[in-house]
Amino acid sequence: ADTFKALSAAVLKTSTESFLQVARATLGQQQEVAKSEVDAKAREIDALVKPLKESLDKVDARILELEAARAGAYGQLSEQVKTLLQSQLMLQSETSNLVKALRTPHVRGRWGEIQLHRVVEIAGMLEHCDFYQQESVDTEDGRLRPDMLVRLPGGRTIVVDSKVPLQAYLEALEAPDDATRAAHMRQHSMQIRTHVKKLSEKAYWEQFTDAPELVVLFIPGESFYSAALERDPDLIEVGFEQRVVIATPTTLIALLKAVSFGWRQERIAKEAQQISALGKELYIRVRTMGQHFADLRKSLDRTVNSYNRAVRSLETRVLPAARKFRDLGAVTEDVIPSLEALDQLASRLQTPELAAGQSDDDVALPPSPRVIQTEL
């Protein structure tokens, strides 16, 4: 038993050592193969992952840029919002001041006059040309001062008076509820109706004899008039019954455009008369110039005839006698050249207006033929 145990232990030890050596050798080979495979896989994975990594790096850089741009834009937006809030506060303050100013009667009146002046400029009816502002007329009932007189062609005049009923309208805009707003709007329409009545009682057409029997009430805002018409649709009829035409900037511009067109037609008619007179004067001057040309032609014809007679006398009476000296040998110089008569006369004027100064007997003598050299 001891021997068997010793032998079995020796065999087991030997087989174990052999197995371990074989296992170590095999495992080492397997490890080498696995390591090479792992390295190859790692290289393949790196080749696949590297483009993704580069793309992710670019995305990260772009995200950082966008984040920086967003932060800058957010800061600018914050500044703009702050500026907008400040502007809104300033606008609110100025609007409040404007509302307070418009509640003052003389400020409203001045604003209405400025609006009226702007409307007239837009219509092309400039000041000191076709209209007058702030012209006063003294009457038995006091001094009447319309805001504007529009001069019409033919010496007629349209009276324009500006009114700015804003008190009730502004209160309606600030009303806390609909009932209060409606009450203020009714008061606003009543204020316009009152202005129409007062303006009708002034009877400007009686003070300005060249004015038609109507007066224009100018309201410097479309919304003011439309708000009143919503509560009182009879305002237009009431105004016409009392000879008052209610006009907003749009309707007044249309009216002034029509007046401006009338003035242009008046100027065109005057210029046509001036053109007609100038044409008559020019026609008379042309006739006079035609007479002068006729007289000049007569003088030219007489000059040509006198020249031809002198040439004939020279050729027939003087030169033949002078040439005899050469024939007799008294002189040896060259032959005296012959002179030719003129066979062209001044043309007669053919236009009837220019030829009016000519008569049929003012005909020049017929042209003389060319003189033939006579050798004696």
Side-chain angles (χ1 to χ4, degrees), residues 124-132 151 263 267:
M125 301 283 286
L126 297 178
E127 194 174 3
H128 306 304
C129 180
D130 296 330
F131 67 97
Y132 302 91
R151 303 295 182 184
W263 276 111
R267 287 194 295 269

Side-chain angles (χ1 to χ4, degrees), residues 200-322:
S200 176
E201 292 174 352
K202 292 182 179 180
Y204 280 117
W205 50 85
E206 296 180 358
Q207 311 303 326
F208 297 92
T209 56
D210 56 351
E213 293 185 356
L214 59 88
V215 62
V216 177
L217 173 61
F218 175 68
I219 299 178
E222 307 288 342
S223 58
F224 309 151
Y225 187 39
S226 61
L229 284 178
E230 290 179 1
R231 297 297 175 181
D232 190 359
D234 298 332
L235 272 178
I236 299 177
E237 296 180 2
V238 170
F240 278 111
E241 289 175 358
Q242 301 186 20
R243 302 177 182 178
V244 176
V245 178
I246 303 176
T248 58
T250 303
T251 54
L252 185 59
I253 287 175
L255 175 63
L256 293 177
K257 282 288 186 181
V259 175
S260 177
F261 178 77
W263 276 111
R264 287 198 299 271
Q265 295 299 318
E266 183 77 9
R267 287 194 295 269
I268 290 173
K270 291 181 179 179
E271 291 173 357
Q273 294 177 357
Q274 295 176 0
I275 291 173
S276 177
L278 182 60
K280 293 179 181 178
E281 183 179 358
L282 180 60
Y283 184 83
I284 295 173
R285 292 182 179 181
V286 169
R287 283 180 56 86
T288 304
M289 182 178 291
Q291 295 175 0
H292 293 329
F293 274 102
D295 295 339
L296 180 60
R297 174 184 170 276
K298 296 175 186 177
S299 301
L300 290 174
D301 289 345
R302 285 194 295 269
T303 302
V304 171
N305 289 328
S306 299
Y307 174 78
N308 290 339
R309 286 194 298 268
V311 168
R312 286 197 300 271
S313 176
L314 178 64
E315 287 286 349
T316 58
R317 305 299 296 274
V318 177
L319 292 182

Side-chain angles (χ1 to χ4, degrees), residues 56-216:
L56 290 175
D57 292 339
K58 293 180 180 179
V59 171
D60 291 339
R62 184 59 181 169
I63 290 175
L64 292 176
E65 293 178 359
L66 292 175
E67 184 65 21
R70 186 193 65 79
Y74 182 77
Q76 294 179 358
L77 181 62
S78 300
E79 293 295 330
Q80 291 179 359
V81 170
K82 290 180 181 178
T83 305
L84 182 61
L85 290 176
Q86 294 176 358
S87 301
Q88 185 69 21
L89 293 175
M90 293 176 62
L91 179 61
Q92 183 177 359
S93 177
E94 294 296 332
T95 303
S96 178
N97 295 332
L98 178 60
V99 171
K100 291 179 181 178
L102 290 177
R103 292 182 184 276
T104 306
H106 72 276
V107 175
R108 290 201 304 266
R110 180 56 183 163
W111 177 66
E113 294 173 1
I114 293 174
Q115 290 294 100
L116 182 61
H117 191 276
R118 287 176 56 84
V119 166
V120 173
E121 288 181 345
I122 294 173
M125 301 283 286
L126 297 178
E127 194 174 3
H128 306 304
C129 180
D130 296 330
F131 67 97
Y132 302 91
Q133 285 186 320
Q134 300 299 332
E135 182 170 316
S136 300
V137 176
D138 294 327
T139 63
E140 296 178 357
D141 299 331
R143 172 170 293 187
L144 297 179
R145 193 188 69 173
D147 291 312
M148 187 172 67
L149 295 179
V150 181
R151 303 295 182 184
L152 302 178
R156 306 290 288 178
T157 304
I158 293 181
V159 181
V160 180
D161 198 84
S162 176
K163 298 297 180 185
V164 190
L166 282 181
Q167 185 67 31
Y169 182 80
L170 295 176
E171 292 178 355
L173 295 179
E174 298 174 354
D177 50 50
D178 294 338
T180 306
R181 184 179 299 105
H184 287 305
M185 283 299 179
R186 285 193 296 270
Q187 185 181 359
H188 173 63
S189 62
M190 288 301 299
Q191 288 179 353
I192 294 181
R193 185 184 283 261
T194 302
H195 284 306
V196 170
K197 182 178 179 181
K198 291 182 179 179
L199 188 58
S200 176
E201 292 174 352
K202 292 182 179 180
Y204 280 117
W205 50 85
E206 296 180 358
Q207 311 303 326
F208 297 92
T209 56
D210 56 351
E213 293 185 356
L214 59 88
V215 62
V216 177

